[in-house]
Amino acid sequence: MPGGPPPIVPPLNPWQAPGAPAAGPFPTSYQGPVPPGGFPPPAPGMGWPQPPKKGGVSGGLIAAIAVFAVVLLGCIGAVGVSVLRSDDSSSSADPAYQPTFPRFPTDEPTIPGLDDDDSSGALAGPQASPDGVKDINDLDNVCDQEMYFPQSPKYQGKAPHPIAIMLKDRKDMDSRIPASVYDVGYSSAKSRTDAWNVYFHPTKVQLTACVDLVSSGAKVKTCKFDDPKPDSLPLKVGTYQLTLFETATRKQLFTKKITGDDRSCPTVVLLGSDHNLYTSISDRAYVAALKKFVEK
């Protein structure tokens, strides 16, 4: 090519004539010869920055504001583009323009019953069982789980009122076992004896008595056993906490400490970590303490 290749010049303002002083740091991706008289102004909407106007906001300031807005939006994770516009009919920025940015929720959703003042999430107060009593052992939930059974009959109407006695006679036991009263004393009427022995009809239970061993006293005697191997265990005085609830509502009706009056050695022993035996509550003592609720 005659005269050699066109000279390469550094990036210039596309509106700047050759030899004229720089009017501002306007970027351009064009690198090549500059035609005489400079480049013509770009068509509107081409995305090129506009030349500065006298008395208006300088192009450098507008570019700096645009860069700052893009960086700020990128930091907060915005997924849009904010565009600053210059009104050709005015020499100043629109005073009504207010930049807006995305708002993000700061509050996490709450779960009723778990995000209240109780940080443990436990529900306050006794809870109604969705199912009725199916087995006598279900009534242990009235004692430990603070549960009640609305499907069970209320403690009302004519006596007798069937009662279930749930017993924990060792401190190392995880649950209670039903303890029926067989010796009810002076009367042998079936309705009365059935009220104290509800093992086979737990759905009729109106009262649940929770009986727990709370302390032990002096040694009474030594009980010897031959099966499965010869062993001797001390029998100590046991003190129990008896608490009576209405099964249908778990309303507490009565509470009392009772000392085990039965000092006989048991025929069957379930041994745990506590190798001691404790005096138990006799049928007569149960009847004396609970008769006014069961039979009146």
Side-chain angles (χ1 to χ4, degrees), residues 125-254:
Q127 302 299 307
S129 172
D131 303 315
V133 176
K134 298 178 181 179
D135 183 87
I136 190 67
N137 294 295
D138 292 343
L139 295 171
D140 189 29
N141 293 323
V142 176
C143 303
D144 270 345
Q145 304 299 326
E146 294 193 352
M147 184 177 291
Y148 57 94
F149 295 87
Q151 300 89 338
S152 295
K154 297 287 184 65
Y155 172 55
Q156 60 188 13
K158 185 179 179 181
H161 305 284
I163 185 172
I165 299 173
M166 306 304 296
L167 172 65
K168 184 186 291 186
D169 58 358
R170 305 184 64 82
K171 292 184 178 180
D172 55 4
M173 290 180 64
D174 295 330
S175 59
R176 295 167 183 80
I177 58 175
S180 292
V181 174
Y182 299 102
D183 184 7
V184 296
Y186 59 89
S187 174
S188 59
K190 189 176 186 304
S191 61
R192 182 168 179 260
T193 56
D194 286 348
W196 289 99
N197 183 10
V198 296
Y199 199 90
F200 296 106
H201 47 90
T203 58
K204 298 181 180 180
V205 172
Q206 297 181 19
L207 303 169
T208 300
C210 306
V211 184
D212 300 283
L213 177 71
V214 292
S215 63
S216 61
K219 177 181 175 180
V220 175
K221 61 182 179 181
T222 299
C223 296
K224 296 182 179 181
F225 303 91
D226 296 328
D227 189 20
K229 62 181 181 179
D231 200 356
S232 298
L233 299 175
L235 178 67
K236 299 181 179 180
V237 175
T239 302
Y240 301 82
Q241 185 70 48
L242 185 154
T243 307
L244 183 66
F245 297 99
E246 181 182 24
T247 306
T249 63
R250 204 180 183 272
K251 177 183 179 182
Q252 181 174 316
L253 304 174
F254 175 73

Side-chain angles (χ1 to χ4, degrees), residues 37-93:
F39 290 95
M46 294 294 292
W48 289 62
Q50 298 296 316
K53 299 180 181 180
K54 288 185 179 182
V57 180
S58 68
L61 179 58
I62 294 177
I65 293 175
V67 171
F68 173 76
V70 172
V71 172
L72 179 60
L73 289 175
C75 293
I76 64 175
V79 203
V81 178
S82 176
V83 180
L84 299 179
R85 295 184 178 179
S86 175
D87 188 358
D88 292 337
S89 63
S90 173
S91 61
S92 61

